[in-house]
């Protein structure tokens, strides 16, 4: 962020607050539903191809919308955003392979541990001790994940569960790098996002061209029916374009804490979509674990940020 003063957002009047909250809540809903959507159109053999298609659809729109600001980026900002894009490509790869090998409910709930991992990692980097309540919340969340992955009895977590846990750690790394790569400070958000996605698509394209990484993107696209194309467009248009622009719009009209609180309901919608639409079942242990994950992440977020609503 630049050193120039940033004006406070113009908060919506109480009677109209829901008009601002509703689009943000819709973002949380589509993000929560994205796990089931991705699971519905992706197989272990088509992960890379689907990622190429998903972001190749949206990238030209972002590039055209922010062309002038893209040209204004310095070489250092391009390099910094490109590095973040490499990390982002790893997140999407691990996350998508994880989704293929676990339930949409587990995926959405496990990935929410990013809200716990990030403050812990920040404390390690800055050499500060987390508060007692935060550590208790972290323990509660971890216990919840253990129960969540035991829906069919006390067995080892699935490969997909472990991959989603790795994706949560990778998201934490991405957040820390965004806060510490000096070259991207003050960079335009749209340009930064476009360069990151462009870098990620380049990685996916290289992987797609390598032998042994599954079907080619055009082969997968040719085999898509109406259901698969609807799922792909949902991921591209709603989970990427719509979500990005709503966040930009909402932070100018309400508080960042309020936006964060609403987006924090994402795992609830992931569980709701998995159970109501995907026909998934948690079982008694899994349901208890889901409650502990949600309670732990909410408690941990408030402990790490006492000013949060």
């Amino acid at each position: 962020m630049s050193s120039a003063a940033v004006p406070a957002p113009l908060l919506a009047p109480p009677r109209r607050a829901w008009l601002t909250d509703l689009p943000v809540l819709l973002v949380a809903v589509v993000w929560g539903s994205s796990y089931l959507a991705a699971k519905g159109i992706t197989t272990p053999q088509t992960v890379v191809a689907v990622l190429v298609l998903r972001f190749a659809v949206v990238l030209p729109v972002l590039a055209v919308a922010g062309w002038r600001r893209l040209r204004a980026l310095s070489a250092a900002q391009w390099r910094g955003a490109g590095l973040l894009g490499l990390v982002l490509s790893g997140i999407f790869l691990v996350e998508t392979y994880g989704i293929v090998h676990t339930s949409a409910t587990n995926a959405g709930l496990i990935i929410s541990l990013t809200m716990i991992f990030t403050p812990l990692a920040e404390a390690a980097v800055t050499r500060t001790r987390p508060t007692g309540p935060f550590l208790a919340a972290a323990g509660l969340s971890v216990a919840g994940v253990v129960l969540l992955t035991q829906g069919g009895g006390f067995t080892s977590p699935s490969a997909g569960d472990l991959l989603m846990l790795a994706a949560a750690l990778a998201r934490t790394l991405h957040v820390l790098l965004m806060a510490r790569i000096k070259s991207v400070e003050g960079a335009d958000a749209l340009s930064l996002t476009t360069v990151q996605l462009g870098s990620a698509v380049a990685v996916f394209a290289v992987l797609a061209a390598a032998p042994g990484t599954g079907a080619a993107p055009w082969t997968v696209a040719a085999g898509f029916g109406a259901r698969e194309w609807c799922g792909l467009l949902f991921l591209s248009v709603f989970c990427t374009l719509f979500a990005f622009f709503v966040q930009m719009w909402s932070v100018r009209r309400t508080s960042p804490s309020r936006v964060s609180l609403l987006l924090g309901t994402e795992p609830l919608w992931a569980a709701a979509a998995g159970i109501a639409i995907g026909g998934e079942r948690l079982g008694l242990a899994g349901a208890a674990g889901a409650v502990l994950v949600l309670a732990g992440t909410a408690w941990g977020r408030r402990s790490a940020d006492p000013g949060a609503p």
Side-chain angles (χ1 to χ4, degrees), residues 21-243:
D21 290 348
L22 183 58
V24 180
L25 190 61
L26 286 175
V27 170
V29 172
V30 298
W31 276 355
S33 304
S34 68
Y35 301 102
L36 187 62
K39 190 173 181 65
I41 66 172
T42 314
T43 68
Q45 292 73 39
T46 62
V47 167
V48 175
V50 168
L51 287 171
V52 172
L53 295 171
R54 173 180 174 178
F55 294 107
V57 168
V58 74
L59 189 59
V61 178
L62 291 174
V64 170
W67 179 246
R68 290 185 179 180
R69 284 170 285 184
L70 275 173
R71 295 180 62 186
L73 291 178
S74 67
Q77 288 173 326
W78 275 90
R79 288 193 297 270
L83 174 60
L84 289 171
L86 293 179
V87 178
L88 192 65
S89 68
I91 293 171
F92 280 116
L93 281 168
V94 175
E95 192 172 288
T96 308
Y97 275 112
I99 290 169
V100 169
H101 291 96
T102 190
S103 67
T105 302
N106 278 22
L109 290 165
I110 293 173
I111 204 70
S112 69
L113 288 178
T114 302
M115 288 188 283
I116 293 293
F117 292 157
T118 301
L120 285 175
E122 182 73 20
V125 169
T126 58
R127 297 184 179 180
T128 58
R129 183 179 177 82
T131 64
F134 181 82
L135 290 175
L140 195 67
S141 298
V142 172
V145 168
V146 172
L147 286 175
L148 177 66
T149 58
Q150 310 306 313
F154 286 91
T155 59
S156 299
S158 70
D161 295 331
L162 295 177
L163 285 170
M164 293 310 300
L165 194 61
L169 291 169
R171 282 194 183 190
T172 298
L173 174 62
H174 187 256
V175 171
L176 292 180
L177 287 176
M178 286 191 70
R180 281 166 175 75
I181 296 179
K182 299 298 183 183
S183 62
V184 300
E185 289 183 0
D188 172 68
L190 175 59
S191 300
L192 184 61
T193 300
T194 304
V195 175
Q196 287 188 79
L197 289 181
S199 180
V201 169
V203 172
F204 302 147
V206 170
L207 289 176
T213 54
W218 51 86
T219 303
V220 172
F224 273 180
R227 183 182 68 84
E228 288 81 8
W229 276 110
C230 286
L232 182 68
L233 291 175
F234 173 77
L235 291 170
S236 297
V237 176
F238 289 97
C239 299
T240 306
L241 270 182
F242 170 75

